[in-house]
Amino acid sequence: MYALFMPKEPPRPDRKTNPKPPEVLVVDDEPMVCILLKELLATQGFRCSEASNGRQALELLAARPFDLVVSDLRMPVMNGLELLQAVRSRYPQVAFVMATGENDVRVAVQAMKEGASDYIIKPFHTEVALASVQRALEKRRLQIELENYRLHLEEMVAQRTSELHAAMERIERTYDETLSALGGALELRDLETEGHSRRVTRYCLELARGLGLPEGEVKNIVRGSLLHDIGKIGIPDAILLKPGRLTDEELEVMQTHPQIGYELVCRIAFLAPAAEMVLAHQERWDGTGYPRGLKGESIPVGARIFAVADTLDAMTSDRPYRRALPFSVAREEIARQAGRQFDPQVVQVFLSISEERWQAIRCEPAAGRLPAFGGGASRPARVEARP
Ligand SMILES: [Fe+2]
């Protein structure tokens, strides 16, 4: 039997934050305790149910939602600690107050460690009991609020991250469209190379993937190959478009185009990795290229790939003095130049891809997976291939 005194001014449930009256489940094997607690909580606007042991309490909890369980510690069938564990694991958002005898304070503290929100010592004073129930419900409300906030934050971060990725993709797409337009503008000036950048870029893409390079690097190689001859905008028309052989002086001017291109492109942070390829696109594996005479693996991999792709396109395209050569001839020549003009590993990947595949890539429409540029009716080539 427990002493029960009515509080002078009992606290009321906070209707602002919890408009529905809290549902409380009182669990005790002594019917009188259940009745008194229910009456006390009802005066505060709580809706109460009762169970005489842990098992019955779990049945009620499974049937409908509760905000709080107030449970006796010592009960038959299933004691308070066992019930606490079951409630914590199945209904983590339900608050739990343990009611214990004076001799069970240590067990009550143990219950707190195991997840009880609070405990009441029997025989309990109504004010103390109500304060404990209020504290437990407030704690639960804050926990739910915190959890909702965390979930909302996670959702918000996920949403913002995906928006950021989409924005970055849009920016990259815009950059790539600009690059295509640049490539197109360049080809309008140097008619001999019409479609060349687009084809070479596709060959580079195939080789880079064949070499198993990471996608980030492949992207830079694609950009580098689109822009490889951008420096030719700094070469005077009299040299760039001159029919026939160039003099030594003219050749020297012509050979500044990788450096001019590099200086144009390296200032754009997004294109800095591609700039290295622009600078090195005329280097040769054996060190006889220009502008720096780099050798072997000191040449950026993109430029080593480009060298093979460029030759493939040059040999299989029409020239003023000859028709396009068959892919089989280009294949033999590239194989012969492995270790001289070309990186042997790139040549190996090139040879592992069938002639049919290379032909199919060459014939891909301009609006394929790379941005189209340099379109329009084909014009006759007017000049010899330039360095
Ligand atoms: Fe070039």
Side-chain angles (χ1 to χ4, degrees):
M1 193 66 190
Y2 309 104
L4 193 64
F5 306 97
M6 288 305 291
K8 288 167 202 159
E9 284 185 29
R12 312 283 305 178
D14 185 353
R15 294 295 167 90
K16 274 185 206 158
T17 51
N18 190 8
K20 269 173 58 187
E23 294 274 355
V24 182
L25 177 58
V26 178
V27 192
D28 204 304
D29 55 320
E30 290 185 52
M32 188 52 73
V33 176
C34 288
I35 292 168
L36 292 173
L37 260 177
K38 275 175 68 179
E39 279 178 2
L40 171 67
L41 295 171
T43 63
Q44 304 301 300
F46 296 166
R47 291 177 57 184
C48 298
S49 306
E50 62 178 270
S52 59
N53 60 55
R55 193 180 296 161
Q56 203 183 358
L58 287 176
E59 283 167 13
L60 283 170
L61 280 160
R64 62 191 180 89
F66 284 92
D67 299 297
L68 170 69
V69 173
V70 181
S71 170
D72 189 18
L73 177 65
R74 295 175 187 278
M75 296 180 293
V77 186
M78 179 186 260
N79 70 32
L81 278 178
E82 289 167 335
L83 176 62
L84 170 64
Q85 281 162 4
V87 170
R88 280 287 71 93
S89 66
R90 296 182 209 174
Y91 313 102
Q93 289 199 330
V94 175
F96 197 103
V97 172
M98 189 72 85
T100 67
E102 271 175 319
N103 297 333
D104 295 321
V105 172
R106 275 176 54 197
V107 188
V109 173
Q110 180 62 30
M112 296 282 287
K113 282 186 190 161
E114 291 187 21
S117 317
D118 210 337
Y119 67 90
I120 333 172
I121 294 178
K122 294 195 232 173
F124 48 74
H125 190 286
T126 49
E127 279 184 4
V128 176
L130 281 173
S132 180
V133 163
Q134 294 285 6
R135 260 198 314 275
L137 285 171
E138 178 62 6
K139 198 170 160 191
R140 172 183 180 271
R141 186 185 68 77
L142 290 173
Q143 274 169 346
I144 292 173
E145 221 166 73
L146 195 69
E147 180 62 10
N148 288 343
Y149 182 67
R150 192 183 63 78
L151 287 176
H152 179 63
L153 257 186
E154 278 174 8
E155 262 172 36
M156 215 164 71
V157 168
Q159 192 193 341
R160 291 279 187 275
T161 307
S162 90
E163 282 171 8
L164 194 65
H165 280 153
M168 281 171 72
E169 267 172 31
R170 276 201 302 277
I171 290 171
E172 279 205 13
R173 233 183 0 256
T174 312
Y175 270 131
D176 287 335
E177 281 162 12
T178 308
L179 293 191
S180 289
L182 257 174
L186 195 66
E187 289 187 349
L188 283 177
R189 183 157 174 249
D190 184 2
L191 300 177
E192 171 232 338
T193 61
E194 184 173 8
H196 165 71
S197 292
R198 176 174 53 79
R199 289 189 301 270
V200 167
T201 299
R202 285 181 172 157
Y203 296 151
C204 281
L205 184 65
E206 187 77 6
L207 289 169
R209 291 203 169 131
L211 276 165
L213 298 181
E215 273 306 293
E217 202 166 350
V218 172
K219 234 182 231 181
N220 289 326
I221 290 171
V222 165
R223 288 169 185 156
S225 58
L226 271 170
L227 291 172
H228 69 274
D229 269 346
I230 188 81
K232 283 186 177 172
I233 60 174
I235 305 298
D237 279 356
I239 297 175
L240 183 71
L241 306 178
K242 180 182 171 182
R245 284 184 71 82
L246 298 178
T247 66
D248 288 350
E249 292 75 30
E250 288 167 339
L251 196 62
E252 212 173 291
V253 173
M254 190 66 168
Q255 290 186 346
T256 59
H257 80 272
Q259 186 68 40
I260 296 171
Y262 173 77
E263 281 160 19
L264 274 174
V265 171
C266 74
R267 290 184 213 141
I268 307 165
F270 146 81
L271 291 175
E276 288 299 326
M277 189 172 149
V278 171
L279 180 62
H281 80 272
Q282 296 285 358
E283 302 286 0
R284 295 166 65 122
W285 180 257
D286 59 7
T288 59
Y290 66 92
R292 291 174 289 175
L294 297 180
K295 223 175 178 175
E297 291 189 356
S298 61
I299 304 168
V301 65
R304 282 182 262 144
I305 289 172
F306 172 84
V308 172
D310 191 37
T311 297
L312 176 66
D313 188 59
M315 292 186 74
T316 53
S317 299
D318 285 339
R319 287 290 180 266
Y321 56 91
R322 63 153 170 81
R323 299 289 296 163
L325 296 166
F327 273 74
S328 57
V329 175
R331 205 176 169 84
E332 278 166 28
E333 176 59 15
I334 288 169
R336 209 170 57 80
Q337 289 296 336
R340 289 189 249 184
Q341 191 175 343
F342 306 125
D343 175 349
Q345 205 191 336
V346 177
V347 173
Q348 201 183 345
V349 170
F350 167 73
L351 294 174
S352 72
I353 298 165
S354 68
E355 277 177 41
E356 293 72 32
R357 173 73 190 138
W358 289 119
Q359 261 160 345
I361 297 171
R362 182 181 173 84
C363 297
E364 273 175 16
R369 60 185 154 176
L370 288 173
F373 58 86
S378 72
R379 305 176 187 89
R382 292 196 322 215
V383 290
E384 289 287 334
R386 291 298 184 210

